[in-house]
Amino acid sequence: MCGVFGIHGHDEAANIAYLGMHALQHRGQESAGLVAVEGNKLRQQVAMGLVSDAFNRDALAKLPGTSAIGHIRYSTAGTSELRNAQPFVFEYSGGAISIAHNGNLVNATELRAELEASGSIFQTSSDTEVIVHLMAKAREPDVLGKLNAALKRVRGAYSLCLLTNDEKMIGVRDPNGFRPLVIGRLKDSYVLSSETCSFDLIEAEFIREIEPGEIVIFEKGGMTSHRIAAPAEPPTFCVFEHVYFARPDSLVNSKSVYRARERMGQKLAQEAPIDGDVVIPVPDSGVPAAIGYSKESGIPFEMGLIRSHYVGRTFIEPQDSIRHFGVRLKLSPVRSIVDGKRVIVVDDSLVRGTTSRKIVKMLRGAGAREVHLRISAPPTTHPCFYGINTPTRSELVAASHSVEEIGRYVTCDSLAYLSHEGMMTAVGTSPNGAGFCSACFTGDYPVALGTSDLVQLRRARV
Ligand code: AMP
């Protein structure tokens, strides 16, 4: 769970990157960083917290130059501290290079041990640093060769944005294409972003996605395309980007996230109908699915829960104590909408079940006569090792409990999930889900896991 952004060949590179990162804030709130290049020199500014807290006019003024890359972080590998905030900057025999990474490498632990045994000294606990050490050791003469050699050794999910001190910007997607990465154009400059919503903000034109297994280099003469490997057959784009993670105004995998979520809600209404007086979403992420459910069922849609916009995504806070407290801080019921009503609540996913349990309690407290919970994705039974922050398998309520048991735990009158086939049809692929990773719902991991992940899975008490 991270966002990357890059701009090449623009007089106000750092300012534009700041805006582009702003639009990616939903992808992580732990740290934000920018690196800009001017006259062969890479300058870096990183800070903990939100983009708007991390950068002010003075900080941006310290980043002159015509190309810049940025990163928004939520830790999925490595601890939450400033030294792990990206983009990283490293000096090596090829010059200086900066790297921003979205995704998670599954063989980083093994590679790191190997690199350390041969003398590498790591500065961070992040999996991303492994790529740079592998590049430094590669014998190939140029940056493309070094990058290619490094990426041939890593396994897992990576959408990367790199910037060299001779002003090459590089975008990369792993052969499976787990995480999104798109190319846009802003007048004479090229832009890269995790999601198209950044392009809308800076008024850039969307050109295309970086393909799975593709390396795209942007330099003075224009843009060139190269390959790490052929795309996986089929690629496995993360379906959870559509379910929850991406912003609804983005196109991911060339499809509208909003429309995919709305269709998930429609399918859910077909698969799990229930009599009710009102359909309400768990805002914000449940809104499009609830609209779909309401349209399909003919039951009116209302905003029965109001979200405070002054707290971040509560789930995203790494500390459990804050997260528990967070639900009340974040959501409050509208009594005039739910009082005396049979309420159908639509949320996009149920992970530990703690959010839903609190919501059901809150709605009953506000007078709801019945509370029916509808989840617009299948039960989350497995953790993600490819870059979405999910708890361990033991903490996933659906790993060890049936739908009926979960319903009892969250104390709702009925609970139903969207089927896997329903979700896949909604995102526009075949019912078996070709082209997508849905390991969090199936346990079918498309890229072999590393030893530490397998140990974690085996240890799960489910
Ligand atoms: P839980 O209380 O663990 O069941 O959390 C479920 C809520 O968290 C739902 O409202 C989801 O929209 C949201 N959610 C699901 N997955 C994630 C994630 N990886 N990061 C942040 N929030 C999430």
Side-chain angles (χ1 to χ4, degrees), residues 55-272:
F55 296 99
N56 55 23
R57 200 181 296 256
D58 291 344
L60 290 171
K62 289 185 188 137
L63 295 167
T66 49
S67 296
I69 62 170
H71 188 264
I72 310 287
R73 178 165 194 260
Y74 180 80
S75 58
T76 50
T79 48
S80 168
E81 50 182 317
L82 193 58
R83 74 187 176 118
N84 284 331
Q86 298 188 19
F88 297 143
V89 177
F90 293 93
E91 307 254 345
Y92 72 130
S93 60
I97 192 159
S98 175
I99 183 167
H101 174 196
N102 172 207
N104 200 32
L105 306 180
V106 290
N107 64 341
T109 314
E110 291 88 326
L111 288 173
R112 184 179 175 128
E114 179 193 310
L115 286 159
E116 282 177 336
S118 65
S120 293
I121 297 170
F122 279 75
Q123 294 169 24
T124 73
S125 63
S126 154
D127 58 336
T128 311
E129 198 182 339
V130 166
I131 298 175
V132 185
H133 284 268
L134 289 170
M135 282 180 76
K137 283 203 180 322
R139 291 179 191 277
E140 285 71 3
D142 59 358
V143 67
L144 174 63
K146 287 181 193 298
L147 182 60
N148 227 323
L151 295 178
K152 284 205 161 59
R153 298 223 44 215
V154 303
R155 220 167 64 229
Y158 51 89
S159 280
L160 304 175
C161 210
L162 298 103
L163 186 62
T164 64
N165 63 337
D166 60 353
E167 207 165 341
K168 289 188 181 76
M169 179 172 81
I170 307 173
V172 187
R173 259 177 106 196
D174 64 74
N176 285 70
F178 280 104
R179 302 275 143 238
L181 190 59
V182 283
I183 307 173
R185 200 151 180 143
L186 180 61
K187 300 199 179 90
D188 295 331
S189 342
Y190 281 106
V191 277
L192 283 174
S193 180
S194 294
E195 292 183 36
T196 58
C197 60
S198 326
F199 297 167
D200 298 334
L201 176 65
I202 60 172
E203 297 184 331
E205 173 200 354
F206 167 59
I207 306 226
R208 68 169 175 92
E209 306 215 344
I210 293 198
E211 288 168 19
E214 188 185 22
I215 300 179
V216 182
I217 303 188
F218 304 86
E219 49 196 327
K220 288 249 154 55
M223 145 182 151
T224 51
S225 165
H226 313 264
R227 292 219 75 90
I228 318 163
E233 197 36 67
T236 53
F237 182 71
C238 168
V239 75
F240 203 68
E241 293 271 352
H242 273 299
V243 169
Y244 167 81
F245 200 39
R247 236 170 71 162
D249 52 336
S250 285
L251 291 178
V252 296
N253 220 22
S254 301
K255 301 223 169 64
S256 156
V257 174
Y258 184 97
R259 288 285 172 219
R261 285 186 194 161
E262 189 182 41
R263 281 194 297 272
M264 288 178 204
Q266 285 169 326
K267 293 251 160 238
L268 183 59
Q270 290 162 8
E271 291 182 4

Side-chain angles (χ1 to χ4, degrees), residues 1 240 244-245 282 285-286 313-316 323 327 330 347-356 359 388-391 397:
M1 290 168 68
F240 203 68
Y244 167 81
F245 200 39
V282 177
S285 51
R313 281 187 167 185
T314 51
F315 187 104
I316 233 162
R323 188 164 39 74
V327 182
K330 189 165 111 172
D347 202 356
D348 58 273
S349 53
L350 193 154
V351 182
R352 298 177 179 86
T354 44
T355 307
S356 308
I359 288 171
I388 294 281
N389 176 48
T390 29
V397 66

Side-chain angles (χ1 to χ4, degrees), residues 5 15-28 32 50-53 55 72 197-198 201-202 247:
F5 185 87
N15 288 339
I16 300 281
Y18 169 84
L19 293 172
M21 287 160 65
H22 220 286
L24 298 177
Q25 188 74 82
H26 61 288
R27 296 184 71 88
L50 303 178
V51 176
S52 53
D53 297 334
F55 296 99
I72 310 287
C197 60
S198 326
L201 176 65
I202 60 172
R247 236 170 71 162

